[in-house]
Amino acid sequence: MVENRTGRPGGFIGYEYKEVVTDPGQVSFFIDGYANFGWEIDENVMPGGLEKYPERTGSSHQRKTVIRFKRNRKIINKMELTRLQRNFEACVDQISRLEKEKTARPTVIALAVGILGTAFMAGSTFAVTADPPLIALCIILAIPGFLGWILPYFLYRAGVRKQTEKITPLIEEKYDEIYEICEKGNKLL
């Protein structure tokens, strides 16, 4: 067996490269998924082919991980593997959108109720500071105001629970579709 200067057996291999930015909890999923389309971790860039974005102090950004892949440019069935890879990436994007959808509607509802409660509290405050003070109106407006401040938490939790029950089967279908796509890609390799 002939070894080239890099210590690898065989002759020259031309590679194409790809970077994937993901949450740390999804790293294994992406490594396993992209392996079915001929991609392997690029160990030359960093140990393990992984790099973490630095955490920004005071920002709301989550920490992300960059996975660097490489693939032989002359891989067989490259066009079909690329098509399957695009389907895989589209399914992953759809899963990500569905995951966000679990909390989007409940958040909007909770915020709307909280703002409405704040409006009632403002009315209550204006009623008590009026000349002469309207104590009865203040109390009448304060009750829905306090409810508008208390209820959003419970509305949010109930909404997330309901959305999760509704969306989880859709996410499972997408994962099944991903596994079928990965199986097809693996058979082509």
Side-chain angles (χ1 to χ4, degrees):
M1 188 173 278
V2 178
E3 283 196 20
N4 59 17
R5 292 184 330 162
T6 60
R8 290 185 225 143
F12 172 78
I13 299 175
Y15 290 102
E16 58 183 325
Y17 300 93
K18 179 170 188 65
E19 285 185 356
V20 177
V21 179
T22 184
D23 296 324
Q26 294 279 44
V27 170
S28 293
F29 174 74
F30 278 104
I31 290 172
D32 294 342
Y34 278 101
N36 293 301
F37 309 112
W39 294 98
E40 58 188 61
I41 295 284
D42 187 0
E43 300 284 344
N44 296 327
V45 178
M46 290 198 63
L50 301 174
E51 176 182 330
K52 294 191 185 307
Y53 278 142
E55 194 170 356
R56 297 180 188 165
T57 311
S59 91
S60 62
H61 296 286
Q62 286 183 318
R63 178 170 262 183
K64 297 286 187 180
T65 302
V66 179
I67 311 169
R68 289 183 168 69
F69 291 105
K70 66 181 179 179
R71 174 170 76 175
N72 187 341
R73 293 182 73 78
K74 297 187 180 188
I75 192 169
I76 56 172
N77 299 320
K78 183 176 178 181
M79 287 182 62
E80 182 63 16
L81 286 169
T82 302
R83 186 187 69 76
L84 289 171
Q85 177 185 322
R86 285 191 186 118
N87 288 344
F88 168 80
E89 291 167 346
C91 287
V92 169
D93 286 343
Q94 289 172 354
I95 288 173
S96 176
R97 274 190 249 112
L98 287 170
E99 287 290 344
K100 289 177 184 173
E101 198 174 307
K102 285 181 184 179
T103 58
R105 177 177 277 155
T107 299
V108 169
I109 291 170
L111 286 172
V113 171
I115 290 170
L116 189 62
T118 302
F120 274 104
M121 284 306 259
S124 175
T125 304
F126 289 132
V128 82
T129 58
D131 193 24
L134 304 171
I135 302 299
L137 182 61
C138 171
I139 293 170
I140 291 171
L141 292 176
I143 293 170
F146 281 120
L147 288 176
W149 285 353
I150 296 169
L151 285 179
Y153 172 75
F154 299 104
L155 290 173
Y156 176 79
R157 287 188 50 177
V160 168
R161 193 176 318 111
K162 183 179 175 184
Q163 286 291 96
T164 300
E165 290 171 3
K166 179 180 160 186
I167 291 174
T168 298
L170 300 173
I171 292 173
E172 290 302 320
E173 285 178 22
K174 283 296 167 191
Y175 274 116
D176 291 341
E177 188 177 336
I178 284 174
Y179 296 140
E180 288 175 17
I181 291 168
C182 288
E183 189 177 356
K184 288 177 186 175
N186 195 304
K187 287 179 182 176
L188 289 174
L189 289 177

